[in-house]
Amino acid sequence: MDLVVRTPHGDADVTIVRHGPSCTLGDLIAAVSGQAVPGVVRVDDRTIDSATPLDNAQLLIGSTVTTDPAVPVQRHADDVELVQIAGPGAGRSRTLPLGHYRIGPGRRIVTNELS
């Protein structure tokens, strides 16, 4: 499963190949970021306890797991939503305000097994 883990330090594209039945969202965040795990995280537009097992978190290909759920998404009428429609991370979207951007691959982490 391909998803994005977003922390205050940046985004990481993550591919989960296999995980144990007791693996939680918090385990995922700790494995990817090495940071302390918050009590709750945001998965797409939902706030979820970080102790939720991955199998119960309703993760989809391209889901975004955010470690700072208190940060509201601010949108402006001129913003554009960029949606990836193919390849690893398909379904991922990003809102872009007016400006100039370089679009390309991000930092990629592949984990074969989370325990």
Side-chain angles (χ1 to χ4, degrees):
M1 173 183 314
D2 296 328
L3 49 95
V4 177
V5 175
R6 180 170 293 147
T7 70
H9 303 288
D11 294 358
D13 294 336
V14 178
T15 298
I16 300 175
V17 177
R18 179 179 48 226
H19 64 83
S22 63
C23 186
T24 66
L25 287 168
D27 296 333
L28 171 66
I29 292 166
V32 171
S33 69
Q35 299 174 356
V37 178
V40 294
V41 297
R42 251 182 110 65
V43 175
D44 300 324
D45 293 327
R46 300 170 288 126
T47 301
I48 300 177
D49 189 309
S50 62
T52 302
L54 290 180
D55 290 338
N56 297 341
Q58 299 176 358
L59 296 169
L60 303 172
I61 294 173
S63 284
T64 300
V65 179
T66 306
T67 61
D68 188 5
V71 176
V73 176
Q74 298 177 355
R75 305 237 170 156
H76 188 271
D78 294 332
D79 290 351
V80 174
E81 184 175 9
L82 179 67
V83 179
Q84 182 176 347
I85 60 171
R92 180 178 174 195
S93 68
R94 171 83 70 181
T95 301
L96 301 174
L98 290 175
H100 296 279
Y101 299 92
R102 179 185 304 175
I103 299 174
R107 183 174 151 232
R108 184 142 192 87
I109 298 173
V110 176
T111 178
N112 287 326
E113 186 168 341
L114 292 173
S115 55

